[in-house]
Amino acid sequence: MIVLDRCAVSTVDEAGTEHASGHVVVENGRISSVASGPAPRPSGAHTYVDASSCLVTPGLINTHHHLYQWATRGLATDATLFEWLTTLYPVWRGLDDTVTHAAASAGLAKLALTGCTLAADHHYVFPSGGGDVFDALVSAGRRVGIRLEAVRGSMDRGRSRGGLPPDNLVEETEAALIATERAIGDHHSTADDALVRVAVGPCSPFSVSKELMTGAASLARRHGVRLHTHLAETKDEEEQCLAENGCTPTEYAEQLGWLGPDVWLAHTVHLNGDAVKRLGATSTGSAHCPTSNGRLGTGIAPVRDLLDAGAPVGLGVDGAASNEDGGLVVELRSALYQARQRGGPAAMNAREALWMGTMGGARVLGRADSLGSIEPGKVADLAVWDLSGLDHAGIADPVAALVLGTPPPLKLLVVGGEVVVRDGVLLTASTDELARDLSAASAKLQEAAR
């Protein structure tokens, strides 16, 4: 049992309930109570936390990442997306299970230290001879101790078929589908408090054949798991799709059965009004990645329009090779700023940004019944933000302090009732060891590419 007392609480429930001074009680990995006023002191064994000057929120949810890219940060820093990919694909040919585990562990640690309790990772690079890189990703999630939506990605359209990846970095269509089905059998859990779930994720329309896209959709729906891909990220992609298929990326996705409540799409930057309406009407989710979009100069996604249309929208960090920071809490502010750059100061407020980073992400990943808000009976995934220091002094509204101010340190990060971060320190792994492993993995990859 954990008792968090004397804290501000933003529950992010449907009513937007907040407590200026309240408490949250956790029992057996679940939230047992949340209310205003001091916490009742239980008679049994418990951990009491005086959380005065803190804000308690649901744990943040990252809806799109490529953790293996932590080993290739700082490359192609001034490139467009297509230039960036063609620069990095040759480097990623050297990826193996050791590099993947080191990069994923480091990336998940940074996410945990920035308030993330659930991360969706889209892994789509499977070089021959690299070992079981997907298992290496899953084991990294268990090592760090946060939840993982492990997206088994794939590419089968190399350069000889008009795609971007080198031919020696793609899989055969049937082999990719077989390996994806195996990943579901090995790792997917349907429990509402599952630490690992598996989704199906062909990489993108410009690196995947129609056969793989439709085969993946059929496979996912046969097993009752979710579907994920990149869509409408750049103008280049739209122009290629129009030239090859005579339609926009969203129209192409719909033709292939890739819109629906079990689908979420990364980026969705270049959507026309009809596309926005289709995502809303079909409850297709969007993973909004504001920092990565800014790093690559791809544009500003129409997030306000998507929310108003009823589409689920969550936040994504995206791969660290296009977002060297790699943390999640900064995306709250980035999302708010980009929405206002597109639509003015009324386009988004701080609480809407927090909603996207919590309940919005839970909706996108199909886990809103158990995660994303602080309500009795829900799984106890909680972030306790310390607002006591100079950076937040004098900001009366704690949610504004979190979203608009300097990212605050974590007093606690709780995942299913287990403390993963305490007073800004990761408890599950040594960050010094993770940094050494990451440096070695990065050097190994870049040396192999020379």
Side-chain angles (χ1 to χ4, degrees):
M1 179 182 289
I2 301 173
V3 177
L4 306 174
D5 201 12
R6 303 174 63 194
C7 45
V9 183
S10 181
T11 69
V12 200
D13 64 8
E14 189 172 356
T17 306
E18 296 183 359
H19 306 290
S21 180
H23 64 271
V24 180
V25 179
V26 174
E27 294 184 73
N28 299 318
R30 304 268 172 173
I31 297 160
S32 61
S33 68
V34 53
S36 292
R41 294 298 292 268
S43 57
H46 65 281
T47 299
Y48 178 83
V49 180
D50 182 349
S52 53
S53 300
C54 291
L55 169 67
V56 181
T57 69
L60 302 183
I61 295 173
N62 176 16
T63 60
H64 182 68
H65 210 115
H66 308 294
L67 288 163
Y68 76 89
Q69 292 180 12
W70 264 76
T72 53
R73 291 187 293 172
L75 303 179
T77 56
D78 303 311
T80 66
L81 174 65
F82 280 19
E83 292 167 346
W84 176 83
L85 285 169
T86 54
T87 299
L88 286 166
Y89 276 138
V91 181
W92 295 338
R93 277 201 301 255
L95 195 70
D96 63 16
D97 48 6
T98 301
V99 171
T100 299
H101 184 79
S105 296
L108 289 166
K110 180 59 182 281
L111 289 169
L113 290 165
T114 56
C116 178
T117 51
L118 167 59
D121 187 66
H122 189 187
H123 190 101
Y124 55 85
V125 178
F126 296 89
S128 60
D132 193 340
V133 293
F134 196 77
D135 184 74
L137 163 65
V138 172
S139 65
R142 297 192 185 280
R143 177 183 184 185
V144 174
I146 70 173
R147 301 184 198 283
L148 187 65
E149 182 85 11
V151 183
R152 206 295 180 178
S154 52
M155 300 186 293
D156 70 341
R157 188 183 178 199
R159 287 179 187 162
S160 65
R161 299 178 65 187
L164 279 181
D167 286 351
N168 60 5
L169 204 58
V170 303
E171 300 175 276
E172 294 296 327
T173 306
E174 188 62 26
L177 291 171
I178 290 170
T180 301
E181 189 162 33
R182 185 167 58 248
I184 296 168
D186 288 347
H187 300 293
H188 181 68
S189 170
T190 59
D192 73 341
D193 61 347
L195 280 173
V196 180
R197 287 189 176 180
V198 176
V200 176
C203 181
S204 63
F206 51 83
S207 59
V208 172
S209 68
K210 287 183 180 180
E211 292 76 16
L212 183 51
M213 289 291 286
T214 55
S218 176
L219 171 66
R221 286 169 179 145
R222 189 165 69 249
H223 287 279
V225 302
R226 301 183 76 76
L227 282 160
H228 184 49
T229 193
H230 297 83
L231 198 83
E233 185 174 0
T234 68
K235 279 289 186 184
D236 291 338
E237 176 191 336
E238 182 169 358
E239 291 169 1
Q240 180 175 337
C241 192
L242 286 167
E244 292 181 349
N245 305 302
C247 60
T248 67
T250 306
E251 291 168 338
Y252 182 64
E254 186 160 32
Q255 290 172 15
L256 300 180
W258 269 78
L259 296 186
D262 58 347
V263 177
W264 85 103
L265 307 169
H267 299 289
T268 63
V269 175
H270 297 281
L271 302 177
N272 60 30
D274 288 341
V276 168
K277 290 177 183 176
R278 289 305 299 148
L279 264 62
T282 56
S283 297
T284 303
S286 171
H288 176 41
C289 305
T291 297
S292 176
N293 294 344
R295 157 75 150 80
L296 292 169
T298 57
I300 299 175
V303 171
R304 178 75 270 159
D305 297 340
L306 286 167
L307 291 169
D308 290 345
V313 182
L315 297 181
V317 172
D318 206 3
S322 66
N323 178 358
E324 278 77 4
D325 178 83
L328 184 51
V329 68
V330 295
E331 301 302 329
L332 304 178
R333 180 169 58 184
S334 293
L336 182 147
Y337 282 0
Q338 285 197 4
R340 292 184 176 189
Q341 285 173 328
R342 185 181 176 100
M348 183 171 292
N349 62 44
R351 282 162 176 78
E352 288 175 311
L354 178 60
W355 182 91
M356 283 200 302
T358 52
M359 268 306 293
R363 283 190 64 199
V364 164
L365 298 182
R367 303 192 70 168
D369 289 343
S370 58
L371 303 174
S373 62
I374 304 175
E375 300 179 73
K378 281 200 164 185
V379 177
D381 285 8
L382 303 168
V384 183
W385 307 94
D386 186 349
L387 304 176
S388 64
L390 175 64
D391 287 333
H392 306 94
I395 304 179
D397 178 354
V399 175
L402 172 66
V403 175
L404 299 175
T406 301
L410 281 170
K411 187 176 183 69
L412 288 177
L413 186 75
V414 179
V415 179
E418 299 293 329
V419 178
V420 174
V421 176
R422 178 181 288 116
D423 295 327
V425 176
L426 183 70
L427 302 183
T428 51
S430 162
T431 52
D432 288 342
E433 181 180 337
L434 294 175
R436 288 193 298 271
D437 291 348
L438 177 62
S439 294
S442 181
K444 178 182 177 180
L445 261 189
Q446 294 181 47
E447 178 62 31
R450 290 191 179 99

